[in-house]
Amino acid sequence: MQRTIVILGSGLAGYNFAREFRKLDRDARLMVVSRDAADFYSKPQLSNALSAGKSAASLVMKPCAKMADELDADIRAHTEVCAIDTEKREVELKGGERIAWDELVLALGADPIRLPLEGDGADDVISVNDLDDFARFSDRLEGVREVVLLGGGLIGCEYANDLLSRDIRTTVVDIADRPLGRLLPREAAGYFRERLEAAGVRFRLEAGAKSVERADDGYRVQLDDGTTLDAGLVVSAVGLRPRTALAREAGCEVERGIVTDRKLATSVAHVHAVGDCAEVAGLNLPFVMPIMHQARTLAANLTGSDTTLEYPAMPVLVKTPACPTVVCPPPAGADGTWRLESDAEGVAALFESGDDLLGFALLGKATARRQELAGKVPKPFDAAG
């Protein structure tokens, strides 16, 4: 009897699982249900698309119809899932249609965190989390000379650097005392900030946005220290929250994300999770390489293998050409200290516990050491215990 595999989500996680699955099984019925147009594109490219001269349309690598043909899959674009019935193994779509499945893969992604801003311009603050968001963002940049960007983490700094290509002055606002505060020690963050400021990015740190008011020439952002910033556009990049509501309502265990074991199985039989929405054995890693490893592992498990997810060390490239940066953070709560090796051309920050290297951050020309150091840090699951 033909099995039916239903995938909820058409992002990097959903489509890469589908591809890996099809390599191993050409016979099962495969269905992808997507809230958007279900075109295939690389989400990481959104944060450097301006400097690459890309439009939303040109970021599409393969349209939905081409993906359906390649995967031999039924792809439902612009389709909303209302509920998951795990007893009947059905998903209910908006409008009442119910789709039966033998195995369900949740590749739901994550939503931007929205700050509780006051003011009549609060709803105009834009976040860029998918292709449609990028299209709106790009359109609204027309004629803009000043942007206030809320969030000085990885994505916020990438967008701030990318906006330089449009000769747009960007001020990054963050409550932290340094950019990339969760990834870089203080001295390395200082080097990073200096390089981005030299390129034209401005930082307002240890301050949060309180309100956004509409003004004749754009918006006025009031900070909690009493100062204000004027901008033609306000962009929020304060972080993402895994989409877990459907899974929670279906009875799946949820913590930071949808909890799975290292086989990508949730607490409910025949339901699996991959990508930004998944918390795999305690780790939520919303980056390309972990997603690729998850997709391969789950595809193997759903085609008869008994495969446990293994992660290699996976340094993350921060796309900030003004200061090339690679980070491989130490495990949360790890006992150790940062040691810096620096000169005018770069900084290598090494997080060490005794003789063991647990993590690193490389900036400038020190990024050339990425491969050397990646072989010395523990694998994520080993480090997590």
Side-chain angles (χ1 to χ4, degrees), residues 264-314:
L264 288 310
T266 72
S267 60
V268 175
H270 306 288
V271 180
H272 318 267
V274 291
D276 290 4
C277 69
E279 181 181 336
V280 184
L283 298 180
N284 175 240
L285 301 175
F287 304 108
V288 173
M289 287 305 297
I291 289 172
M292 302 294 278
H293 284 279
Q294 291 169 22
R296 285 192 288 271
T297 297
L298 181 56
N301 283 325
L302 293 190
T303 53
S305 296
D306 183 16
T307 303
T308 299
L309 176 64
E310 293 287 352
Y311 286 139
M314 298 176 289

Side-chain angles (χ1 to χ4, degrees), residues 191 195 341-348 363 365-366:
Y191 180 92
R195 296 305 180 274
E341 302 172 358
S342 63
D343 57 31
E345 296 186 323
V347 172
L363 297 87
K365 289 195 173 181

Side-chain angles (χ1 to χ4, degrees), residues 8 81-86 90-92 101 104 106 108 246-247 249-250 271:
L8 304 187
V81 176
C82 299
I84 299 168
D85 187 330
T86 56
E90 294 177 340
V91 292
E92 181 182 347
W101 45 269
L104 181 66
L106 306 179
L108 300 166
L246 275 173
E249 291 164 6
V271 180

Side-chain angles (χ1 to χ4, degrees), residues 12-33:
L12 193 67
Y15 271 147
N16 273 282
F17 164 73
R19 283 171 164 161
E20 296 295 334
F21 181 84
R22 269 294 181 243
K23 292 177 185 177
L24 303 172
D25 187 329
R26 298 299 306 179
D27 299 322
R29 181 185 179 219
L30 197 59
M31 175 177 284
V32 179
V33 182

Side-chain angles (χ1 to χ4, degrees), residues 88 166 173 221 304 337-338 384:
K88 294 182 178 180
R166 291 276 191 96
V173 177
V221 182
T337 57
W338 287 100

